[in-house]
Amino acid sequence: MSDTFSKSATAGRPPVYALVGNPNCGKSTLFNALTGLKQKVGNYPGVTVEKRIGTTYSQHGRPITVIDLPGTYSLAARSPDEAIVRDVLLGRRTDTAQPDRIICIVDATNLERNLYLVHQVLDLGRPVILVLNMMDLVATAGLNLRLTRLEHALGIPVVPCEAANGKGILELRLAMSRPDLPLSRHSWDIPVPIAPAVSELQASLVEHDRKQPLIARAEALLLLTDQDTVRVAGSTPLSAPTTAILAAWKRRWEGEGIDWSGALVNSRYEGIGRLCAEVVQRTGRSGPGISDRIDGVVVHPLWGWLVLGGVMAVLFLSIFTLAEYPMNWIDARVAALGGWVQDLMPPGDLRDLVTGGAIAGVGGVVVFLPQILILFFFLGLLESTGYMARAAFIMDRLMSRVGLNGKSFIPLLSSYACAIPGIMATRTIEDPKDRLVTILVAPLMSCSARLPVYLLMIAALLPGDRVSVGAKVGLMLLMYALGTLGAFGFAWLFKKYLLQGEPPLMLMELPPYRLPRLRDVLLHMLERAGLFLRKAGTIILGISIVLWFLTTYPKHPGPATSQDQIAHSFAGTAGRVLEPAIKPLGFDWRIGIGLISSFAAREVFVSSLAVVFSVDSLDGGKHADIAPLRSSLAAAVWPDGAKLFTPLVCLTLMIYYVFAMQCMSTVAVVQRETNSWRWPLFQIAYMTGTAWLVCFAVYQTGRALGF
Ligand SMILES: Nc1nc2c(ncn2[C@@H]2O[C@H](COP(=O)(O)OP(=O)(O)OP(=O)(O)O)[C@@H](O)[C@H]2O)c(=O)[nH]1
Ligand SMILES: [Mg+2]
């Protein structure tokens, strides 16, 4: 049997290939190698949680569509990301064409486990190409693979590959270009008591659900694998007759005491076991590998925490020391730009808008670009070596105490970069309640947008160079620890009182350590830097300009200082309305303006302060340059002359940003992922409420102690 890739089969559109395989076997790396795209790659399971479509070209230059999919161990889906794979392959999705052909990728060092999914995919009766990835690691794992036997047994093309090094891509492209591909000779014995149920379900699926016979058979087998539980929006439900047949069989087997789903799974594994016995040769005993030896320390109950603390300390240390020079450089460029515009334009509102609004606002945030780059470089390194999964592993001990599952850690750890990919990553979590709890607490992990706020406040709190960098690192660690503890604490509360559920089962796979691929790390870092700059050029620029208007109009009648003007303006009025609510935290109405505008995004707080306080330095027209924001903050006072940004107020502000939900994009993503407004609104309320209460406690205690 073979399929013919005629024009009519694909109706003139490019043929569609889907990439499927276990988590972390290199699907996205292969996808990138084929398409030249930059899909995110990382050395831990669950990096890809959504499908991504790209184009590659056949040997003869014809376009081929390739779909990268999340990783899964089985087509019987238990979590939303796995359901995507199942539904794309079964043609259940309305938004994606059913793939014409499938590329199954397996980790060649772990054939037995990986072949389970391949076994299920072969049931679909589609042409399949089997890619054995990570061939570079086979010999060191003490293995030898008899590829021709594997190819012969399965009857499909088998392509050995090293996706990360670009090896085997050419051969794969050749196989993909073949106009006809053999269909697998694969057949397996469905256990006797199950077989009639499969036939009956298959017939019903063909008749009532309008499925093709082979797809119907595969689907019948999945319906009989009891883990296949997840339904997602956009897929059509089963017809009533099919549901009734399924229920009738299950009742019958339960009556007879037959473990139907176990029988199916075992029967598959028996076939795979026989195949592997023939294909996999062990060339020698591989002792405890280097990964195991490193893990002896890194996931150790005590050393593990020290290593984690050390890693974080090094991260913050580099943020403070390495970033200094480029930061000063950007600072100087921004100041020069401001000065240049000042000289160029005639005095007036327009000039003030450009200097005091646009340049001060955007410049105030852009100076933190070096720190953002360093943060993402480090996170990228941790992800690509495999350390991230270890950090998740040691945190699990803590997390299981609060009732959350091991799978919640990767999303929480990703949230250190940004809550949005973190919340997306919760799609790997099977239990819907666990997933919701993780979504609710993810924005408490200190994301990169808080970095500018923390850094500015630390600079204001510990001015001058006399302060040791150790104190700064310590403060940063404190903020990250506060956010993390907050996330754990609330997870515990929510699990206990709001979303009780089964105690979770820890099932996490530790990927082997790998040398980081600098290219992946740098690409990811640049991509994040691009996002940061785009945010500065859009949201932050926009809000700075709007804020400038709101602080400039209506004009104060008669001569006035800049502070009188702001107080008289729209923004000043709004700030003063808010002041009674935030005065107990030590914040005045000008800080209030920053708090309101940074509901859009946390960095906006910095740009808002820059707009509100930069006016000071332009006082009386003697503005040679734009004073660095730090000094304007240091000069700010209450009406009675008391300093506004005291160390206690700076600390309280940092803590406010640890807890408060100040990010529109996160609200939007939570709304989409939970498909309701209830949860994002709840999240805003509980996070901002907590922020206020904690700040109140800290500020009032600090005052009472005489700070
Ligand atoms: N040694 C070696 N490493 C590889 C190879 N291919 C990919 N990797 C590494 O394997 C890790 C996982 O790669 P990804 O492409 O993210 O894997 P994935 O299958 O897309 O993972 P998920 O999206 O989580 O399911 C990365 O660290 C890659 O650099 C290979 O051929 N050899
Ligand atoms: Mg991937």
Side-chain angles (χ1 to χ4, degrees), residues 257-286:
I258 294 177
D259 175 13
W260 35 280
S261 87
L264 265 184
V265 174
N266 288 341
S267 153
R268 281 192 202 272
Y269 270 120
E270 274 163 29
I272 293 166
R274 277 196 300 276
L275 183 61
C276 285
E278 209 180 313
V279 172
V280 183
Q281 287 180 310
R282 304 208 168 263
T283 53
R285 262 200 52 76
S286 49

mmCIF file of all heavy atoms in Angstrom, residues 257-286:
data_model
loop_
_atom_site.group_PDB
_atom_site.id
_atom_site.type_symbol
_atom_site.label_atom_id
_atom_site.label_comp_id
_atom_site.label_asym_id
_atom_site.label_seq_id
_atom_site.Cartn_x
_atom_site.Cartn_y
_atom_site.Cartn_z
ATOM 1 N N GLY A 257 -15.974 -7.308 35.332
ATOM 2 C CA GLY A 257 -14.675 -7.106 35.978
ATOM 3 C C GLY A 257 -13.506 -7.111 35.005
ATOM 4 O O GLY A 257 -12.414 -7.587 35.332
ATOM 5 N N ILE A 258 -13.720 -6.584 33.801
ATOM 6 C CA ILE A 258 -12.630 -6.539 32.817
ATOM 7 C C ILE A 258 -11.983 -5.156 32.833
ATOM 8 O O ILE A 258 -12.672 -4.135 32.746
ATOM 9 C CB ILE A 258 -13.171 -6.839 31.404
ATOM 10 C CG1 ILE A 258 -13.669 -8.281 31.350
ATOM 11 C CG2 ILE A 258 -12.110 -6.584 30.340
ATOM 12 C CD1 ILE A 258 -14.276 -8.661 30.029
ATOM 13 N N ASP A 259 -10.651 -5.115 32.947
ATOM 14 C CA ASP A 259 -9.937 -3.839 32.904
ATOM 15 C C ASP A 259 -9.675 -3.505 31.436
ATOM 16 O O ASP A 259 -8.621 -3.798 30.895
ATOM 17 C CB ASP A 259 -8.620 -3.969 33.689
ATOM 18 C CG ASP A 259 -7.784 -2.700 33.578
ATOM 19 O OD1 ASP A 259 -8.306 -1.667 33.116
ATOM 20 O OD2 ASP A 259 -6.598 -2.755 33.944
ATOM 21 N N TRP A 260 -10.655 -2.892 30.807
ATOM 22 C CA TRP A 260 -10.584 -2.676 29.358
ATOM 23 C C TRP A 260 -9.460 -1.757 28.942
ATOM 24 O O TRP A 260 -8.704 -2.040 28.026
ATOM 25 C CB TRP A 260 -11.914 -2.162 28.828
ATOM 26 C CG TRP A 260 -12.621 -1.262 29.798
ATOM 27 C CD1 TRP A 260 -13.353 -1.658 30.876
ATOM 28 C CD2 TRP A 260 -12.618 0.153 29.817
ATOM 29 N NE1 TRP A 260 -13.826 -0.577 31.565
ATOM 30 C CE2 TRP A 260 -13.396 0.551 30.928
ATOM 31 C CE3 TRP A 260 -12.065 1.136 29.003
ATOM 32 C CZ2 TRP A 260 -13.607 1.892 31.239
ATOM 33 C CZ3 TRP A 260 -12.285 2.456 29.310
ATOM 34 C CH2 TRP A 260 -13.046 2.822 30.423
ATOM 35 N N SER A 261 -9.306 -0.632 29.685
ATOM 36 C CA SER A 261 -8.291 0.304 29.196
ATOM 37 C C SER A 261 -6.894 -0.252 29.469
ATOM 38 O O SER A 261 -5.986 -0.107 28.654
ATOM 39 C CB SER A 261 -8.495 1.682 29.804
ATOM 40 O OG SER A 261 -7.830 1.787 31.026
ATOM 41 N N GLY A 262 -6.736 -0.931 30.610
ATOM 42 C CA GLY A 262 -5.448 -1.552 30.916
ATOM 43 C C GLY A 262 -5.085 -2.583 29.858
ATOM 44 O O GLY A 262 -3.934 -2.663 29.422
ATOM 45 N N ALA A 263 -6.069 -3.352 29.426
ATOM 46 C CA ALA A 263 -5.806 -4.393 28.427
ATOM 47 C C ALA A 263 -5.286 -3.781 27.130
ATOM 48 O O ALA A 263 -4.341 -4.287 26.519
ATOM 49 C CB ALA A 263 -7.086 -5.187 28.169
ATOM 50 N N LEU A 264 -5.872 -2.659 26.736
ATOM 51 C CA LEU A 264 -5.432 -2.003 25.500
ATOM 52 C C LEU A 264 -3.997 -1.514 25.616
ATOM 53 O O LEU A 264 -3.169 -1.741 24.734
ATOM 54 C CB LEU A 264 -6.328 -0.794 25.223
ATOM 55 C CG LEU A 264 -7.514 -0.967 24.300
ATOM 56 C CD1 LEU A 264 -8.203 0.364 24.085
ATOM 57 C CD2 LEU A 264 -7.063 -1.534 22.966
ATOM 58 N N VAL A 265 -3.719 -0.816 26.730
ATOM 59 C CA VAL A 265 -2.385 -0.252 26.920
ATOM 60 C C VAL A 265 -1.342 -1.373 26.948
ATOM 61 O O VAL A 265 -0.306 -1.303 26.280
ATOM 62 C CB VAL A 265 -2.338 0.583 28.219
ATOM 63 C CG1 VAL A 265 -0.926 1.050 28.505
ATOM 64 C CG2 VAL A 265 -3.281 1.777 28.127
ATOM 65 N N ASN A 266 -1.639 -2.439 27.707
ATOM 66 C CA ASN A 266 -0.673 -3.528 27.811
ATOM 67 C C ASN A 266 -0.415 -4.188 26.474
ATOM 68 O O ASN A 266 0.721 -4.515 26.146
ATOM 69 C CB ASN A 266 -1.184 -4.591 28.798
ATOM 70 C CG ASN A 266 -1.110 -4.072 30.207
ATOM 71 O OD1 ASN A 266 -0.380 -3.118 30.472
ATOM 72 N ND2 ASN A 266 -1.885 -4.671 31.098
ATOM 73 N N SER A 267 -1.468 -4.341 25.720
ATOM 74 C CA SER A 267 -1.298 -5.003 24.447
ATOM 75 C C SER A 267 -0.391 -4.183 23.530
ATOM 76 O O SER A 267 0.451 -4.725 22.806
ATOM 77 C CB SER A 267 -2.669 -5.243 23.838
ATOM 78 O OG SER A 267 -2.580 -5.297 22.468
ATOM 79 N N ARG A 268 -0.526 -2.870 23.603
ATOM 80 C CA ARG A 268 0.377 -2.034 22.809
ATOM 81 C C ARG A 268 1.823 -2.197 23.282
ATOM 82 O O ARG A 268 2.741 -2.349 22.494
ATOM 83 C CB ARG A 268 -0.004 -0.556 22.954
ATOM 84 C CG ARG A 268 -1.179 -0.136 22.106
ATOM 85 C CD ARG A 268 -1.274 1.384 22.112
ATOM 86 N NE ARG A 268 -2.604 1.855 21.778
ATOM 87 C CZ ARG A 268 -3.013 2.075 20.527
ATOM 88 N NH1 ARG A 268 -2.215 1.832 19.514
ATOM 89 N NH2 ARG A 268 -4.242 2.514 20.306
ATOM 90 N N TYR A 269 1.999 -2.151 24.605
ATOM 91 C CA TYR A 269 3.372 -2.240 25.128
ATOM 92 C C TYR A 269 4.016 -3.581 24.811
ATOM 93 O O TYR A 269 5.227 -3.658 24.606
ATOM 94 C CB TYR A 269 3.401 -1.956 26.634
ATOM 95 C CG TYR A 269 3.610 -0.492 26.923
ATOM 96 C CD1 TYR A 269 2.675 0.255 27.624
ATOM 97 C CD2 TYR A 269 4.749 0.157 26.458
ATOM 98 C CE1 TYR A 269 2.855 1.609 27.874
ATOM 99 C CE2 TYR A 269 4.950 1.506 26.696
ATOM 100 C CZ TYR A 269 3.996 2.221 27.404
ATOM 101 O OH TYR A 269 4.190 3.555 27.628
ATOM 102 N N GLU A 270 3.202 -4.650 24.761
ATOM 103 C CA GLU A 270 3.790 -5.946 24.410
ATOM 104 C C GLU A 270 4.387 -5.907 23.014
ATOM 105 O O GLU A 270 5.508 -6.358 22.780
ATOM 106 C CB GLU A 270 2.725 -7.041 24.500
ATOM 107 C CG GLU A 270 2.595 -7.610 25.898
ATOM 108 C CD GLU A 270 1.292 -8.365 26.070
ATOM 109 O OE1 GLU A 270 0.770 -8.914 25.071
ATOM 110 O OE2 GLU A 270 0.792 -8.393 27.217
ATOM 111 N N GLY A 271 3.615 -5.345 22.070
ATOM 112 C CA GLY A 271 4.108 -5.232 20.697
ATOM 113 C C GLY A 271 5.389 -4.411 20.640
ATOM 114 O O GLY A 271 6.361 -4.790 19.980
ATOM 115 N N ILE A 272 5.399 -3.302 21.369
ATOM 116 C CA ILE A 272 6.568 -2.421 21.357
ATOM 117 C C ILE A 272 7.771 -3.117 21.983
ATOM 118 O O ILE A 272 8.895 -3.025 21.490
ATOM 119 C CB ILE A 272 6.249 -1.111 22.109
ATOM 120 C CG1 ILE A 272 5.201 -0.329 21.336
ATOM 121 C CG2 ILE A 272 7.497 -0.277 22.303
ATOM 122 C CD1 ILE A 272 4.573 0.801 22.123
ATOM 123 N N GLY A 273 7.518 -3.841 23.064
ATOM 124 C CA GLY A 273 8.594 -4.566 23.731
ATOM 125 C C GLY A 273 9.260 -5.542 22.774
ATOM 126 O O GLY A 273 10.489 -5.622 22.703
ATOM 127 N N ARG A 274 8.449 -6.276 22.021
ATOM 128 C CA ARG A 274 9.012 -7.236 21.061
ATOM 129 C C ARG A 274 9.855 -6.514 20.013
ATOM 130 O O ARG A 274 10.955 -6.944 19.675
ATOM 131 C CB ARG A 274 7.871 -8.001 20.375
ATOM 132 C CG ARG A 274 7.360 -9.185 21.183
ATOM 133 C CD ARG A 274 6.519 -10.122 20.311
ATOM 134 N NE ARG A 274 5.343 -9.455 19.739
ATOM 135 C CZ ARG A 274 4.181 -9.310 20.393
ATOM 136 N NH1 ARG A 274 4.048 -9.782 21.619
ATOM 137 N NH2 ARG A 274 3.165 -8.724 19.800
ATOM 138 N N LEU A 275 9.342 -5.388 19.523
ATOM 139 C CA LEU A 275 10.057 -4.624 18.505
ATOM 140 C C LEU A 275 11.403 -4.135 19.048
ATOM 141 O O LEU A 275 12.445 -4.269 18.405
ATOM 142 C CB LEU A 275 9.186 -3.438 18.069
ATOM 143 C CG LEU A 275 9.731 -2.555 16.966
ATOM 144 C CD1 LEU A 275 9.931 -3.375 15.698
ATOM 145 C CD2 LEU A 275 8.787 -1.393 16.696
ATOM 146 N N CYS A 276 11.379 -3.584 20.274
ATOM 147 C CA CYS A 276 12.611 -3.026 20.840
ATOM 148 C C CYS A 276 13.640 -4.108 21.102
ATOM 149 O O CYS A 276 14.841 -3.885 20.939
ATOM 150 C CB CYS A 276 12.307 -2.255 22.127
ATOM 151 S SG CYS A 276 11.538 -0.676 21.796
ATOM 152 N N ALA A 277 13.180 -5.281 21.501
ATOM 153 C CA ALA A 277 14.120 -6.375 21.744
ATOM 154 C C ALA A 277 14.916 -6.660 20.479
ATOM 155 O O ALA A 277 16.095 -7.026 20.520
ATOM 156 C CB ALA A 277 13.362 -7.623 22.195
ATOM 157 N N GLU A 278 14.279 -6.444 19.347
ATOM 158 C CA GLU A 278 14.928 -6.736 18.082
ATOM 159 C C GLU A 278 15.828 -5.586 17.624
ATOM 160 O O GLU A 278 16.867 -5.803 17.018
ATOM 161 C CB GLU A 278 13.824 -6.956 17.036
ATOM 162 C CG GLU A 278 14.196 -7.886 15.923
ATOM 163 C CD GLU A 278 13.019 -7.997 14.966
ATOM 164 O OE1 GLU A 278 11.878 -8.191 15.463
ATOM 165 O OE2 GLU A 278 13.230 -7.852 13.763
ATOM 166 N N VAL A 279 15.414 -4.368 17.941
ATOM 167 C CA VAL A 279 16.082 -3.189 17.373
ATOM 168 C C VAL A 279 17.185 -2.628 18.272
ATOM 169 O O VAL A 279 18.236 -2.208 17.810
ATOM 170 C CB VAL A 279 15.031 -2.083 17.087
ATOM 171 C CG1 VAL A 279 15.713 -0.786 16.691
ATOM 172 C CG2 VAL A 279 14.068 -2.548 16.019
ATOM 173 N N VAL A 280 16.952 -2.613 19.584
ATOM 174 C CA VAL A 280 17.882 -1.945 20.490
ATOM 175 C C VAL A 280 18.893 -2.934 21.045
ATOM 176 O O VAL A 280 18.523 -3.929 21.652
ATOM 177 C CB VAL A 280 17.121 -1.278 21.655
ATOM 178 C CG1 VAL A 280 18.090 -0.515 22.552
ATOM 179 C CG2 VAL A 280 16.034 -0.369 21.137
ATOM 180 N N GLN A 281 20.171 -2.647 20.809
ATOM 181 C CA GLN A 281 21.226 -3.470 21.393
ATOM 182 C C GLN A 281 21.956 -2.639 22.430
ATOM 183 O O GLN A 281 22.311 -1.489 22.164
ATOM 184 C CB GLN A 281 22.236 -3.864 20.317
ATOM 185 C CG GLN A 281 21.746 -4.884 19.352
ATOM 186 C CD GLN A 281 22.849 -5.187 18.341
ATOM 187 O OE1 GLN A 281 23.432 -4.276 17.767
ATOM 188 N NE2 GLN A 281 23.138 -6.456 18.143
ATOM 189 N N ARG A 282 22.187 -3.233 23.590
ATOM 190 C CA ARG A 282 22.986 -2.528 24.595
ATOM 191 C C ARG A 282 24.442 -2.899 24.368
ATOM 192 O O ARG A 282 24.795 -4.066 24.393
ATOM 193 C CB ARG A 282 22.553 -2.916 26.006
ATOM 194 C CG ARG A 282 21.099 -2.677 26.203
ATOM 195 C CD ARG A 282 20.693 -2.372 27.627
ATOM 196 N NE ARG A 282 19.307 -1.898 27.563
ATOM 197 C CZ ARG A 282 18.967 -0.622 27.546
ATOM 198 N NH1 ARG A 282 19.883 0.311 27.649
ATOM 199 N NH2 ARG A 282 17.695 -0.266 27.447
ATOM 200 N N THR A 283 25.292 -1.893 24.130
ATOM 201 C CA THR A 283 26.690 -2.176 23.830
ATOM 202 C C THR A 283 27.519 -2.243 25.099
ATOM 203 O O THR A 283 28.617 -2.755 25.098
ATOM 204 C CB THR A 283 27.286 -1.094 22.918
ATOM 205 O OG1 THR A 283 27.031 0.173 23.528
ATOM 206 C CG2 THR A 283 26.656 -1.137 21.553
ATOM 207 N N GLY A 284 27.036 -1.695 26.152
ATOM 208 C CA GLY A 284 27.804 -1.775 27.388
ATOM 209 C C GLY A 284 26.965 -1.202 28.497
ATOM 210 O O GLY A 284 25.954 -0.561 28.244
ATOM 211 N N ARG A 285 27.399 -1.448 29.708
ATOM 212 C CA ARG A 285 26.652 -0.874 30.826
ATOM 213 C C ARG A 285 27.069 0.575 30.979
ATOM 214 O O ARG A 285 28.243 0.875 31.133
ATOM 215 C CB ARG A 285 26.981 -1.644 32.102
ATOM 216 C CG ARG A 285 25.950 -2.694 32.452
ATOM 217 C CD ARG A 285 26.068 -3.050 33.931
ATOM 218 N NE ARG A 285 26.028 -1.856 34.779
ATOM 219 C CZ ARG A 285 24.911 -1.186 35.060
ATOM 220 N NH1 ARG A 285 23.773 -1.571 34.560
ATOM 221 N NH2 ARG A 285 24.941 -0.117 35.840
ATOM 222 N N SER A 286 26.125 1.452 30.898
ATOM 223 C CA SER A 286 26.482 2.832 31.180
ATOM 224 C C SER A 286 26.199 3.081 32.651
ATOM 225 O O SER A 286 25.077 2.898 33.105
ATOM 226 C CB SER A 286 25.683 3.782 30.288
ATOM 227 O OG SER A 286 24.318 3.457 30.330
#
